[in-house]
């Protein structure tokens, strides 16, 4: 494992775990399934976080 | 394809050699722990015994469970693949999901429980944390995760109702709700005990609210979705707030942040209410980012600290309190109370709520339940071992001066030193004052709850490595802050989850309450939930007998009874799916857990020693009250009244929890007998088989065989198609 590949792994991991990569995934998915223009980042993130209003996700002791 | 796994089918000489070495290291460490008597041993032996045992258990036992007992099948599509909607169902890289799952299960529990259990010596706690996680805790998490995954991510309560029947289902639901209330009350009590009359701590925790609001607005308005940026800014502000607390303490503002426990209770209840009704983006979500970051960072820091500093354990291996049951921190003898107190680090029923629900909807391949279910719980157990080390490295005199109830210790350094001397440990009043001065607190006496003790332990360990003695106060408040931060996150999320459960249940009686968007219903149910846990919190701070002393056993019993419900469900499902001969895998931990917990409940309800039995305690104080007498540690008739009311409620709750769990177990027995007698397997709610089209590694590292598969998804973004195989992180994946 070179330092560079380690760095790119860390970057990939952090983007995944914080959910930053989700918008890219949404774009890819949207392009594949629908011809309509996709939501902007702002609109998408708003929807994404508002979903947690109904499902905050349990945190354990 | 379930045969794909580390090591392949045949044992290679190199692998045999490595695993033999691991086994030898573990065995030697256990030997040192068992044979050392009297001399002070290094914490490294505890770490070696734990890691060696975890490695062997993960490599062999969890593989046996995955393959033989559960029969994980990687040809079968998981719900994440079948129902992929990019929202709650989507196949997620196993390493990412491991991180999410670990962050969700790890919290204050494994840090607090072992600290309190150190009263019995380090050995009983160590043995139970390691043996318990291997045979019970990790098994429960993994098996629950598997069964929920096979049922499209159904929750524990839903599975009990569908697989056992409405009676068990209703009992389980009521148990989950009431257990959650106790959990929130006790966790909040830990925070109150840590912050009471500490302007430094109170200021830094109070600052987390504006910091979270700022992050929320940043993510909503300024830079949507840039979680990393917001978190980095938030953490920097948080560190400033901790440093600023030291300045506040010496400034005229100190008075405004020096709060009594009662005032803190009001603050927490009001805060909990707002956290539950405000939109998630404003407070809960940003706080969650902060707390997750701090959690993972601090646990990592602590692991480095323990390994580098390798402190010597000053605690005894087994104290006399373990045998005669009259310990000052909590009453009762080793069996059953050490198991009740440690709870989270070894076996935690709450994990069943996480392992059913969110995580199973995101798992890529069935075989990954081993890494995510079993593996994450081993990590949590290791956190508990580190907490035990931090507490056991303290001078025992200081430990008891911090953890015995205030009623016993009095308020001055002299009275506390005398009381600790009576317990058989030595500490001078000067030592106690010096200990408080070193962490810049007004006092360290009677700071029960585990958090302050752990913070002193952590500050000893970390200041030895980073910054020296001058940094002790910083590290102490850093540790307090991080514990309080994620306890408050649990309180936020727990209040909200409790509110949903209440809305859901009451919605069956009167429709509008069930509607999530109907404001009066939302406010009303939120208020009910915060008042419910707020009551226990208030009872905890005002109880002359000491809230932790009274309530922590109840919390432990509740958690372990929830584990009994989860293990009952797992055993029933194994039997229903025709695997009677493997049912012992969950039945043995269930029997042990039921024996421990029901004994503890029985003792808390019926024991005739007023220190242990709630009703004996009630009778003692009620009789004295009727005669107009005041019994210490109560100081007046009002306090006598408080004791009587509290012990009645606690006793009724302990009895109710046990009865609910017995109801669920009884219901399960009926179902199991029916399943064993039936010629054909009973119908289960398992989702039908669909062929999987993705290939992903089972373990933490991918094997050569897995990487060669044409549909390999590797570290792809988890779109589930496998088409974008191996981008980004993939090349970093050295085996």
């Amino acid at each position: 494992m070179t330092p560079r590949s380690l760095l790119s792994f860390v970057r990939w991991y952090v983007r995944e775990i914080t959910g930053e990569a989700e918008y890219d995934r949404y774009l890819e998915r949207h392009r594949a399934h629908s011809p309509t223009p996709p939501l902007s980042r702002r609109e998408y993130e708003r929807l994404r976080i508002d979903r947690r209003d109904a499902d905050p996700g349990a945190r354990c002791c | 394809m379930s045969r794909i796994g580390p090591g392949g089918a045949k044992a290679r000489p190199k692998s045999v050699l490595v695993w033999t070495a691991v086994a030898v290291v573990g065995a030697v460490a256990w030997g040192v722990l068992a044979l050392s008597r009297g001399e002070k041993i290094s914490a490294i032996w505890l770490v070696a015994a734990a890691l060696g045992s975890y490695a062997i258990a993960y490599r062999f036992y969890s593989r046996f469970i995955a393959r033989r007992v559960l029969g994980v099948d990687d040809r079968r599509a998981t719900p994440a693949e079948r129902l992929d909607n990019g929202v709650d169902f989507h196949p997620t890289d196993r390493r990412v999901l491991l991180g999410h799952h670990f962050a969700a299960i790890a919290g204050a529990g494994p840090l607090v429980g072992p600290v309190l259990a150190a009263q019995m010596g380090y050995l009983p706690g160590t043995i139970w944390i390691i043996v318990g996680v291997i045979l019970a805790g990790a098994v429960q998490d993994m098996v629950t995760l598997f069964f929920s995954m096979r049922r499209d991510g159904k929750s524990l309560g839903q599975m009990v109702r569908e697989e056992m029947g409405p009676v068990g289902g209703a009992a389980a639901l009521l148990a989950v709700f009431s257990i959650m209330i106790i959990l929130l009350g006790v966790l909040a009590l830990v925070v109150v005990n840590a912050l009471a009359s500490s302007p430094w701590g109170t200021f830094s925790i109070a600052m987390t609210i504006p910091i979270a609001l700022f992050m929320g607005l940043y993510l909503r308005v300024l830079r949507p979705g840039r979680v990393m940026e917001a978190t980095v800014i938030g953490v920097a502000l948080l560190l400033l707030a901790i440093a600023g607390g030291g300045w506040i303490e010496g400034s005229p503002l100190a008075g405004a942040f020096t709060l009594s426990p009662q005032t803190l209770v009001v603050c927490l209840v009001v805060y909990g209410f707002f956290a539950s009704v405000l939109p998630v983006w404003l407070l809960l979500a940003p706080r969650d980012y902060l707390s997750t970051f701090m959690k993972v960072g601090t646990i990592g820091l602590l692991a480095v600290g323990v390994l580098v500093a390798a402190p010597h354990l000053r605690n005894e291996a087994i104290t006399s309190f373990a045998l005669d049951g009259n310990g000052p921190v909590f009453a009762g003898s080793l069996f059953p109370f050490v198991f009740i107190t440690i709870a989270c680090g070894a076996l935690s029923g709450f994990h069943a709520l996480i392992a059913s629900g969110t995580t199973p909807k995101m798992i890529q391949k069935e075989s990954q339940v081993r890494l995510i279910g079993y593996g994450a719980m081993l990590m949590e157990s290791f956190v508990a071992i580190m907490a035990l080390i931090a507490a056991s490295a303290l001078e025992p005199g200081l430990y008891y001066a911090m953890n015995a109830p205030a009623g016993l210790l009095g308020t001055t350094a002299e009275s506390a030193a005398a009381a600790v001397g009576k317990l058989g440990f030595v500490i001078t009043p000067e030592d106690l004052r010096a200990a408080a001065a070193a962490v810049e607190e007004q006092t360290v006496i009677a700071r029960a709850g585990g958090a302050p003790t752990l913070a002193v332990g952590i500050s000893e360990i970390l200041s030895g490595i980073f910054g020296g003695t001058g940094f002790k106060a910083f590290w102490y408040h850093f540790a307090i802050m991080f514990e309080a931060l994620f306890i408050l996150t649990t309180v936020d999320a727990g209040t909200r989850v409790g509110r949903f459960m209440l809305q859901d249940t009451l919605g069956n009686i009167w429709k509008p309450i069930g509607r999530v968007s109907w404001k009066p219903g939302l406010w009303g149910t939120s208020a009910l939930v915060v008042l419910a846990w707020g009551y226990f919190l208030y009872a905890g701070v005002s109880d002359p007998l000491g809230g932790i002393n009274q309530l922590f056993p109840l919390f432990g019993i509740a958690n372990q009874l929830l584990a009994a419900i989860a293990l009952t469900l797992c055993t029933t499902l194994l039997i229903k799916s025709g695997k009677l001969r493997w049912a012992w895998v969950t039945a043995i931990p269930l029997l042990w857990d039921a024996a421990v917990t029901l004994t503890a409940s029985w003792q808390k309800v019926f024991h005739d020693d007023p220190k242990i039995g709630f009703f004996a305690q009630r009778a003692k104080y009620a009789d004295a009250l009727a005669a107009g007498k005041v019994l210490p540690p109560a100081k007046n008739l009002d306090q006598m009244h408080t004791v009587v009311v509290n012990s009645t409620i606690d006793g009724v709750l302990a009895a109710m929890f046990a009865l609910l769990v017995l109801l669920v177990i009884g219901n399960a027995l009926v179902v199991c007998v029916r399943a064993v007698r039936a010629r054909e397997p009973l119908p289960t709610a398992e989702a039908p088989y669909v062929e999987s089209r993705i290939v992903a590694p089972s373990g933490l590292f991918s094997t050569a065989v897995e990487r060669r598969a044409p549909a390999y998804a590797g570290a792809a973004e988890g779109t589930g198609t496998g088409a974008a195989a191996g981008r980004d992180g993939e090349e970093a994946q050295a085996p």
Side-chain angles (χ1 to χ4, degrees), chain B residues 271-609:
Chain B
Y271 166 77
F273 176 78
F274 281 105
S276 171
V277 299
L278 284 177
V280 165
W281 66 266
L282 188 60
L283 191 58
L284 195 143
R287 191 192 250 299
D288 197 33
Y289 293 133
L290 264 188
S291 110
T292 307
F293 186 90
M294 289 286 286
K295 189 188 299 181
V296 174
T298 312
I299 288 173
L301 206 61
L302 184 59
V304 171
V306 166
L307 288 178
V308 174
H312 276 74
L313 304 179
R314 300 203 181 116
N315 195 356
E316 293 164 38
I318 300 173
T319 63
S320 61
F321 302 131
L323 308 171
D324 52 27
N326 56 2
V329 184
F330 58 92
S333 51
L334 189 129
F335 183 90
F337 287 102
V338 86
F339 308 100
I340 295 299
T341 311
I342 288 188
C344 291
L347 167 65
S348 174
F350 283 95
H351 296 183
L353 301 181
I354 316 246
S356 63
T358 315
T359 308
K361 292 177 184 159
M362 295 163 76
I363 207 158
Q364 260 176 334
K365 298 305 294 180
E366 288 207 340
S367 58
Q368 291 169 354
V369 293
R370 185 179 161 204
L371 173 68
I372 292 160
Y374 205 92
M377 183 59 196
L378 290 182
M379 286 160 60
E380 161 132 336
S381 168
F382 189 61
V383 175
I385 288 285
M386 290 192 297
L388 189 68
I389 290 175
S392 295
L394 288 182
E395 202 53 65
L398 179 60
Y399 173 85
Y400 290 103
M402 291 189 73
N403 286 289
L408 187 82
L409 292 167
T411 47
T412 65
E414 282 73 21
S415 66
V420 169
K422 251 185 241 158
L423 292 171
F425 298 91
V426 185
I427 192 153
T428 62
E430 290 70 40
D431 288 342
L432 283 173
R433 282 193 208 101
V439 296
E440 295 184 30
E441 283 285 287
Q442 289 169 2
T443 176
V444 290
I445 297 160
R447 306 294 294 269
T453 312
L454 182 66
V456 170
I458 289 180
S459 81
E460 296 259 339
I461 290 172
L462 290 184
S463 67
I465 303 172
F466 311 102
T469 36
F471 263 64
K472 258 192 185 173
F474 178 83
W475 285 121
Y476 173 86
H477 288 98
F478 178 85
I480 289 286
M481 148 76 99
F482 113 98
E483 284 176 89
L485 184 64
F486 61 62
I487 287 181
L488 289 182
T489 312
T490 303
V491 170
D492 289 359
T495 304
R496 237 183 158 88
V497 170
R499 187 251 283 176
F500 283 126
M501 286 167 80
L502 198 59
Q503 277 184 299
D504 204 38
T505 312
L506 293 180
N508 292 330
I509 304 164
W510 192 50
K511 279 267 181 279
I513 293 188
R515 270 184 249 135
V516 180
S517 53
W518 190 57
K519 294 282 188 242
L522 193 157
W523 292 329
T525 47
S526 295
L528 278 178
V529 173
V530 290
L531 288 178
W533 63 252
Y535 167 74
F536 287 102
L537 175 57
Y538 189 78
V541 298
S542 55
D543 198 316
L545 297 176
I548 288 291
N549 188 320
Q550 292 284 84
L551 288 177
F552 205 84
L554 204 56
F555 161 65
I557 288 173
N559 190 354
Q560 296 299 289
L561 285 174
L562 196 53
I565 294 182
L567 287 167
T568 304
L569 174 74
C570 292
T571 311
T572 311
L573 284 176
L574 282 175
I575 293 175
K576 273 179 88 174
S577 42
K579 289 176 180 158
L580 181 61
R581 72 189 190 112
W582 298 126
W584 57 266
V585 169
T586 53
I588 289 177
L590 170 60
L591 284 178
W592 169 257
D593 180 47
V596 164
T597 321
L598 294 173
T599 309
S601 309
W602 181 268
Q603 292 192 3
K604 288 314 273 183
V605 176
F606 295 110
H607 206 290
D608 47 18
D609 179 351

Side-chain angles (χ1 to χ4, degrees), chain B residues 124-144:
Chain B
T126 306
I127 295 176
W128 174 236
I129 291 172
I130 298 175
V131 175
V133 76
I134 289 172
L135 297 178
V139 175
Q140 174 212 262
D141 288 18
M142 174 176 171
V143 176
T144 312

Side-chain angles (χ1 to χ4, degrees), chain B residues 204 207-208 210-216 218 226-242 286-287 289-291 293-294 481 485:
Chain B
S204 22
M207 287 311 287
T208 62
I211 294 174
L213 294 175
F214 170 74
M215 286 170 68
Y218 187 92
R226 267 58 167 210
V227 179
M228 260 185 285
E229 282 171 27
T231 309
V232 169
I233 298 174
V235 169
L237 290 173
L238 207 61
L239 292 177
L240 268 181
I242 301 176
R287 191 192 250 299
Y289 293 133
L290 264 188
S291 110
F293 186 90
M294 289 286 286
M481 148 76 99
L485 184 64

